[in-house]
Structures are given as C-alpha cells and as structure tokens.
Amino acid sequence: MTDRFDYIIVGAGTAGCVLANRLSADGRHRVCILEAGGRDWNPMLHIPAGFMKTLVDPSVNWLYKTEPSPWTAGRSILAARGKTLGGSSAINGHIYNRGQRLDFDGWAQRGNRGWGYADVLPYFRRSERRVGDADDTYRGRDGGIVVTDPDWRHPLCEAFIEGAVSIGIPRNPDYNGAFQDGVGYFQRAIHNGRRVSAARAFLHPAAGRANLTIRTHAHATKILMEGRRAVGIRYLAGGRGGSEVELHADKEVILAGGVVNSPQLLQVSGIGPAGLLGRLGIPVVQALPGVGENLRDHYAPRMVGRVRGIDTINERARGIRLVGEIAKWMVARKGILGLSPTVVHCFWKSHEALQTNDLQMTFTPASYKEGVQSRLDDFPGMTVAAWQQRPESSGWVRARSADPLAPPEIQPNYLAHEMDRRVLLGGIKLGRRLLRTAPLAPYFEREEYPGDQAQTDDELLDFARQRGTTTFHLMGTCRMGPGTDPTTVVDDQLRVHGLDGLRVVDASIMPTMPSANLNASTLMIGEKGADLILGRAPPEPVPLAD
C-alpha cells in the first residue's frame, strides 16, 4: 500500500525545513519530508567550530567534487553539501548575509513578479530572530533563525578593521540593514555557543505534529508521473541496496534537495535537456534545457600572513591550550569552539569608480593548510579571502548515468569569464593592501601566500588558479524565470515549466547570484515558497526610501 500525503518535500535542508514547518503549521495538510542523510545527532554539527570536521565527514556531507578546469589548475574542488537534517545549514560557516537590494530587484527585472527586494524583505524578517541592535525596518525579531554578533574579540580583528578604515573603508555595524558596504564583525546563526541550523530552528519545533512525517536515510530516486502531473516519489530506504518505497502526493511534490540533488533528480526522472537524457537512455518526460545549467559559485583565493608578537587561533587549537578551550566551551559556551570560520567582513569595490561593491572579503586570525578550512597551519597565521560577489562564469550539474545514486558531474567553470578574473585580481590586490596597513604592521611578519615574489597580474592570477577554492555558495541550476527564457526551469511561483504538481524550492531557483553567502536567501525562498504553495496572499511590500 502506498503512503499518501498532501505534500511530499524531498530534502530536509535549509528550505525544506522551513517548508515542513510552514506547510504543517495549521494541521490541515499531511506533510512528509524525506532526507537522504540521517538525524542531526553528530555533536560536531552543533559545536560551531565543528565545521572543520563536518567539512570532510561523509556521514553528514555528500563530499561532492567539481570537475577539473583550467582556472583551478586541473584540480577538483570539494563541493561540500550537507547530508543530514538541516542540510548545508548544519555544516556551513554560520554566516548570515542577505546581499544587496539590487540583487533581488534584478530578479524581478528578469520577469519574476513578487521577487523584488521590497517584496522579499518581509520573508527575510519572518525567518529571523535578530539579537542585538538593528533597524527593524530591515530586521526580524520573532523568527526561527537566531542571528547574533560574535562575543569574541581578538586584537588582530580590531587591527584589521582599523586598517580598513584607515584606507577609506567605513565601519558598518549592520551589513544586513540599509546598505552592505563597509567593514565590521560578521553576524552568524549561533546562539549561546551552539549552531542554529534550519533543522534546529524550524524542523525540530514542528517534529511532534501528528500531520508531519520525517523520514531519514530516504534517498529519492524518481519523481512519479501520471501524464503531465507529478503524483509522488520513489525512494530507497537506507540508500543503495535498500528497499524501494513509493509515496503518493495528493497536492504537490516539492524538490528542496539543493543545487546538486534537485536537478539530478529531475534529470533521472526524465525532466531536463533532451540531448543529455537521450545520451543517458532516459525517456524524456519534459524537455527543459535549463535543468542543471546556470551553476555559479564564489571562488576565493586566501591570502595568508605569518603573524608575530601575538597568538592566533592556530596555537590555541593545539595541545594543552585546546584542552582549555574545550573546557571553556563545555562550561560557558565561549572561546574558539564557538566561532565561525571567518570573523570579520569587508564589502568593498574592485575599482574606485564603481558605484556599488562587487567584492566580499573576510578576515580571521587563523590560517589553513592548502587554503582549505579543515586543517590549521602549524605557524601563527591570519587570512584574508576575497571573491567576486556576482560571478559571470557559469557551469552545470549533469547526471552521469540513469543511476540516481551515482554522483553527478559538477562543473562551475570557475573564472572562465574575463570579468571574474578582473574583479578577483582587484580583490587580491586589496587583500594584500589590507594585510599591510599600519594598524596590522606590529603583527605582520611576512606574506606566506601568494608571497612577495608574486607581483604581476599574471603571477597573482596564477596564485588564484593554484590556491583558490570554493566558498560553498553553489546556486542557479533550476533557474526561475518566464517560460519564454529557455535557460529557466521554474516560473515565479516556483512551478516546473510545463508540468503540474511539481515545484522546486531551494537555492537552485536563484536566477542570479546574490552578493552574499546563500543561507539567508535560501531561508527566504523557503518562507515565500510556503506561501505560494498554500495560496496565501503575500505580505505587503516594505516601503523603502530610494
């Protein structure tokens, strides 16, 4: 007998957790959410510094890898994706960053009605519980995601901020408020020393509802169709070798599996580029050339300075000092175990003639082996990372075979577009300048990477090619837009073009890259998606001054 629900949500990541909560809230709808991973019981998921472990832990991470490319010097780059309740919000760097007003106004200008900044701002506010000073025109106080300022300070962070101010970059205490430009401390989804994932904020509070079913270790393998309508999901209980289970959706099937898994499930179900499906021997249900295309990500080289005269996180995370830090976190939820991987933000311009910032830069009083944030260096170090906020380079996610359990091909084509290289070059130069400001001079011993020998533009770009890596901000593979645009997959109601009863609600629907880390925007998409699914009138747009 097939289990029946009103709504089936595939993926208990950021958007999926929001959807499960909102769709089941009034008790009228039977909701089932499927998660290929397990429960979020791993303690490293809840300790903020545990990201260094979960980043490489296959029990909670899909551990996808990108295809080699010329601008990664032939390297495959880790594409970490969460595989547990909470999805990537359970393993990410905790940063809460919405982006700029122009990002969402740009979505609306592409034909997506109701997705301008004034329209989506109420959904940002609905999902957030901001702790601390803020303008309530922009910030929420009653939502599920608790957003706090760090309570940890380090002299290197203060010196970096002072150095940025000394070269004309203003302080900005709330980059999620009226404007983004400036330097200051990151806001993060950490509360009382613990990570606030989407599962903790939205799914767990709803888990006791009689009309909500949560199934873990349930890997979706096919969207079940009757003609042009999606009517259910087939999944494997326990993954490969497990038993097949079919669920029926009386109202809708909702894909919230994320930027990699949502397009792959569409493709292996016969929804995608006809040429790709033909090569894989998959019968075409709906030819949509945009499924899996438009993949974008932020690519960041990290500049490292060797530190003198003061300790860094590198030393505090070893030996007896680490024991002390563990004790500090266990007793008071304080110290380095309660930190994000980056502490300070700097949103600025790659060229002084620009009107709006096109760079995101981060600073932390720590450094990592090979530029990857899973192993600290053995020497005292500090790191500045830089990336272009709105990359032009795009790639794809494509199923390699009809096997839904086989990892797909992921190719972001980092830095393929000349504009990306030009902006990143400006970011590298600004990052080097920031490491050499007067306030940091007492602590700056030398530049480890790229090193003083790298001076020309070609040498700096080669450094980016050799040492750059992802910031884990993949988006765009089920792009939202009018059906007249062949690059799009869903309309502005998040319905898959040409089919009934099927929506995509996750970061894959983003038409263009926000100037931001993506978790905040994905929460917003989940909130707005729930209203669209339930047929609720949207909240009134927020009136904003020009």
Side-chain angles (χ1 to χ4, degrees):
M1 180 177 176
T2 302
D3 289 338
R4 303 184 74 93
F5 299 91
D6 292 308
Y7 299 108
I8 300 171
I9 304 165
V10 180
T14 298
C17 288
V18 175
L19 289 168
N21 184 303
R22 302 310 189 197
L23 296 182
S24 65
D26 63 9
R28 295 169 49 204
H29 307 292
R30 299 159 299 159
V31 180
C32 179
I33 185 166
L34 304 177
E35 170 55 44
R39 300 273 172 174
D40 53 340
W41 291 339
N42 186 325
M44 291 297 107
L45 297 171
H46 305 287
I47 301 170
F51 74 88
M52 294 185 66
K53 302 295 185 182
T54 60
L55 191 62
V56 292
D57 184 349
S59 72
V60 295
N61 190 329
W62 288 95
L63 294 181
Y64 291 128
K65 288 189 175 181
T66 68
E67 296 298 299
S69 66
W71 282 96
T72 61
R75 294 176 297 138
S76 293
I77 304 293
L78 174 68
R81 301 283 90 191
K83 189 180 182 182
T84 184
L85 296 183
S88 293
S89 77
I91 67 167
N92 69 6
H94 319 92
I95 300 302
Y96 186 84
N97 180 11
R98 295 175 178 176
Q100 300 178 37
R101 179 174 175 176
L102 64 85
D103 298 324
F104 306 100
D105 288 345
W107 290 10
Q109 288 167 2
R110 297 182 68 91
N112 297 299
R113 299 159 298 176
W115 289 88
Y117 183 63
D119 303 301
V120 302
L121 182 52
Y123 291 110
F124 277 116
R125 295 195 307 193
R126 180 186 294 179
S127 67
E128 178 195 19
R129 176 152 63 94
R130 169 67 175 148
V131 176
D133 294 336
D135 181 347
D136 289 350
T137 302
Y138 300 93
R139 309 307 299 272
R141 298 292 188 179
D142 303 312
I145 289 290
V146 185
V147 179
T148 63
D149 297 316
D151 56 2
W152 183 89
R153 293 290 186 268
H154 191 284
L156 286 172
C157 296
E158 297 292 329
F160 178 86
I161 293 171
E162 290 174 14
V165 171
S166 74
I167 63 172
I169 301 173
R171 292 178 185 266
N172 184 355
D174 189 5
Y175 57 90
N176 289 307
F179 61 92
Q180 188 185 62
D181 296 38
V183 64
Y185 286 95
F186 268 118
Q187 298 165 20
R188 71 272 167 82
I190 297 173
H191 189 225
N192 292 332
R194 296 183 66 223
R195 174 191 293 275
V196 184
S197 69
R200 184 179 169 198
F202 294 97
L203 189 60
H204 293 324
R209 295 172 185 166
N211 62 322
L212 176 61
T213 299
I214 302 169
R215 297 190 180 180
T216 56
H217 300 292
H219 192 134
T221 58
K222 190 173 185 179
I223 302 164
L224 303 177
M225 305 291 299
E226 288 182 1
R228 314 299 299 169
R229 183 174 187 83
V231 297
I233 286 289
R234 180 181 298 149
Y235 72 88
L236 286 175
R240 192 178 296 279
S243 58
E244 280 193 346
V245 181
E246 291 191 357
L247 306 179
H248 190 279
D250 289 339
K251 293 183 180 293
E252 293 191 20
V253 172
I254 306 156
L255 304 191
V259 176
V260 175
N261 292 356
S262 285
Q264 183 188 18
L265 182 58
L266 286 168
Q267 290 167 2
V268 299
S269 301
I271 304 164
L276 172 66
L277 302 184
R279 290 194 300 273
L280 300 179
I282 300 171
V284 177
V285 172
Q286 175 74 353
L288 282 176
V291 174
E293 303 300 303
N294 192 48
L295 175 66
R296 294 167 200 248
D297 188 18
H298 290 136
Y299 182 81
R302 291 175 169 86
M303 291 145 278
V304 176
R306 186 179 287 258
V307 171
R308 66 186 177 195
I310 195 170
D311 70 347
T312 68
I313 291 174
N314 296 8
E315 297 87 79
R316 296 188 189 188
R318 289 198 297 268
I320 192 65
R321 298 191 66 180
L322 176 59
V323 174
E325 292 289 343
I326 293 171
K328 191 184 301 182
W329 187 85
M330 294 290 289
V331 172
R333 298 291 190 263
K334 305 248 183 219
I336 65 171
L337 269 67
L339 292 180
S340 306
T342 56
V343 182
V344 174
H345 67 80
C346 180
F347 299 103
W348 203 238
K349 307 165 187 176
S350 63
H351 192 280
E352 60 186 12
L354 294 174
Q355 185 173 2
T356 59
N357 60 284
D358 58 349
L359 288 171
Q360 178 168 336
M361 311 189 73
T362 65
F363 175 82
T364 192
S367 61
Y368 303 93
K369 292 180 183 291
E370 300 175 359
V372 179
Q373 294 167 312
S374 58
R375 292 189 301 153
L376 291 164
D377 278 321
D378 297 326
F379 56 83
M382 56 184 171
T383 302
V384 177
W387 60 86
Q388 184 198 12
Q389 299 229 69
R390 299 176 290 277
E392 297 290 337
S393 302
S394 67
W396 57 79
V397 171
R398 295 172 182 165
R400 296 180 189 272
S401 73
D403 179 3
L405 274 65
E409 178 183 307
I410 304 170
Q411 177 53 278
N413 284 324
Y414 293 121
L415 301 184
H417 197 286
E418 181 184 359
M419 177 63 76
D420 295 0
R421 300 194 292 272
R422 188 180 308 153
V423 174
L424 187 62
L425 190 59
I428 295 171
K429 292 177 179 179
L430 178 58
R432 300 181 94 184
R433 185 182 177 195
L434 287 166
L435 283 173
R436 289 167 170 81
T437 61
L440 270 177
Y443 311 113
F444 180 75
E445 182 174 333
R446 67 172 181 268
E447 185 180 272
E448 291 287 329
Y449 298 103
D452 291 339
Q453 73 283 356
Q455 294 297 328
T456 68
D457 288 357
D458 285 345
E459 289 168 340
L460 294 177
L461 284 173
D462 189 58
F463 155 69
R465 183 188 290 111
Q466 300 289 339
R467 291 270 301 189
T469 188
T470 177
T471 57
F472 311 107
H473 301 160
L474 281 69
M475 51 69 67
T477 51
C478 296
R479 190 180 212 171
M480 174 175 61
T484 51
D485 181 347
T487 71
T488 68
V489 176
V490 299
D491 65 13
D492 55 22
Q493 306 295 297
L494 307 184
R495 300 170 298 201
V496 175
H497 292 311
L499 299 174
D500 296 323
L502 182 61
R503 298 193 207 226
V504 182
V505 185
D506 57 32
S508 70
I509 67 96
M510 295 180 180
T512 56
M513 176 73 84
S515 310
N517 316 59
L518 300 187
N519 196 53
S521 294
T522 308
L523 291 164
M524 175 273 291
I525 290 168
E527 294 278 13
K528 184 171 174 65
D531 273 5
L532 293 172
I533 292 163
L534 294 172
R536 290 177 176 160
E540 285 296 316
V542 178
L544 298 170
D546 291 334

